């Protein structure tokens, strides 16, 4: 079945460091891929998405490229800030509307230290 | 416009009591999801409603859990005879499930349930 695997955390970085959070997926067909972010005490927010191979999603300095050949959607940011400290979830969905087919990874906690 | 809202934001109950959690999705969103997030854990899918179709209940952990969606809008998640292991944050999300932005889920702030 469909699934998402992302690197375990926590990830601890100093401010202005480069961030990569790995995400790989298993799915038939052509899923849409997402990164959601959960700040402390809040619900999940969409960070970025990509709907087809080679698409790059970007937002708030974060980027992820849909790589079908490696079934990956790694999240990157060139220079993290303390305010980026949060839990990041990779997710996928396929357009089969009559049942749930939205799959989340287990989340990666990012701690950014000043 | 208004996002997904959930109430109450916090609920403390005693073991064995029933609780109801409410979700108001974004107007016009036909799909509604409930998830459970235990402390420090990922998301556990509970139930999915899509339009007038029969809901996908495959994620409900026991028959103490049930949910309904009235008029294709507001949803209520009911937990009967609560147990301490039910303590978690319950998240609701909605989406349009149509072309364009239809894949994106919009989440509410969650209800934090504590069972004493």
């Amino acid at each position: 079945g469909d699934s998402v695997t992302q690197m375990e955390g926590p990830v601890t970085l100093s401010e202005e460091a480069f961030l990569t959070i790995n995400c790989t997926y298993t799915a038939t067909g052509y899923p849409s891929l997402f990164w959601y972010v959960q700040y402390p005490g809040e619900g999940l927010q969409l960070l970025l998405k990509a709907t087809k191979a080679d698409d790059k999603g970007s937002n708030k300095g974060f980027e992820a490229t849909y790589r079908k050949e490696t079934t990956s959607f790694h999240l990157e940011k060139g220079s993290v800030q303390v305010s980026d400290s949060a839990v990041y979830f990779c997710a996928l969905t396929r357009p089969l509307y009559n049942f749930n087919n939205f799959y989340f990874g287990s989340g990666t906690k990012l701690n950014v230290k000043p | 416009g208004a996002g997904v809202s959930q109430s109450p934001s916090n609920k403390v109950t005693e073991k064995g009591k029933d609780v109801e959690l409410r979700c108001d999705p974004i107007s016009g969103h036909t799909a509604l999801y409930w998830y459970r997030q235990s402390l420090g854990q990922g998301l556990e899918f509970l139930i999915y409603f899509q339009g007038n179709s029969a809901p996908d209940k495959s994620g409900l952990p026991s028959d103490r859990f049930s949910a309904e969606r009235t008029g294709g809008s507001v949803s209520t998640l009911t937990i009967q005879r609560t147990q301490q292991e039910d303590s978690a944050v319950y998240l609701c999300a909605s989406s349009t499930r149509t072309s364009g932005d239809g894949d994106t889920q919009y989440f509410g702030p969650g209800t934090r349930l504590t069972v004493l």
Side-chain angles (χ1 to χ4, degrees):
Chain A
D2 295 357
S3 66
V4 175
T5 302
Q6 60 182 105
M7 63 189 290
E8 291 190 16
V11 173
T12 301
L13 296 173
S14 297
E15 207 165 21
E16 300 183 0
F18 184 86
L19 168 71
T20 300
I21 301 178
N22 290 338
C23 171
T24 57
Y25 68 90
T26 301
T28 56
Y30 298 90
S32 295
L33 302 174
F34 304 80
W35 278 100
Y36 281 83
V37 58
Q38 186 177 34
Y39 297 104
E42 299 183 11
L44 277 72
Q45 303 173 25
L46 176 67
L47 180 59
L48 53 85
K49 62 184 281 190
T51 58
K52 60 182 187 296
D54 300 326
D55 267 4
K56 178 185 283 187
S58 61
N59 186 26
K60 299 182 180 181
F62 291 88
E63 293 183 339
T65 301
Y66 189 141
R67 302 282 189 202
K68 191 155 180 69
E69 64 275 15
T70 54
T71 62
S72 65
F73 193 55
H74 304 322
L75 182 68
E76 296 182 336
K77 186 174 186 183
S79 176
V80 294
Q81 305 299 312
V82 172
S83 57
D84 294 327
S85 298
V87 181
Y88 293 82
F89 292 90
C90 186
L92 71 80
T93 189
R94 287 191 293 126
L96 299 175
Y97 300 136
N98 290 330
F99 61 96
N100 173 62
N101 65 324
F102 214 103
Y103 301 94
F104 285 87
S106 56
T108 302
K109 186 173 183 179
L110 171 65
N111 296 315
V112 180
K113 298 189 172 183
Chain B
V4 177
S5 61
Q6 293 185 243
S7 60
S9 55
N10 280 285
K11 176 71 176 178
V12 180
T13 190
E14 294 180 347
K15 179 181 173 181
K17 301 283 189 182
D18 298 351
V19 296
E20 286 189 349
L21 311 180
R22 177 186 168 106
C23 172
D24 279 273
I26 293 172
S27 178
H29 282 197
T30 58
L32 186 148
Y33 305 76
W34 282 100
Y35 296 91
R36 179 167 69 176
Q37 187 176 29
S38 300
L39 184 63
Q41 302 297 310
L43 296 177
E44 177 186 4
F45 164 72
L46 298 177
I47 188 168
Y48 166 53
F49 295 90
Q50 169 53 34
N52 295 320
S53 301
D56 175 0
K57 303 179 181 180
S58 60
L60 294 178
S62 77
D63 59 7
R64 296 186 296 104
F65 288 73
S66 63
E68 62 178 22
R69 189 178 184 192
T70 54
S73 181
V74 172
S75 177
T76 303
L77 176 69
T78 300
I79 309 173
Q80 295 178 310
R81 305 180 303 282
T82 52
Q83 305 295 312
Q84 288 182 334
E85 60 263 28
D86 299 335
S87 296
V89 176
Y90 289 81
L91 293 169
C92 176
S94 70
S95 69
T96 66
R97 280 319 226 172
T98 57
S99 61
D101 190 42
D103 289 346
T104 302
Q105 292 195 1
Y106 295 86
F107 282 81
T111 294
R112 181 176 297 279
L113 174 65
T114 303
V115 182
L116 302 176

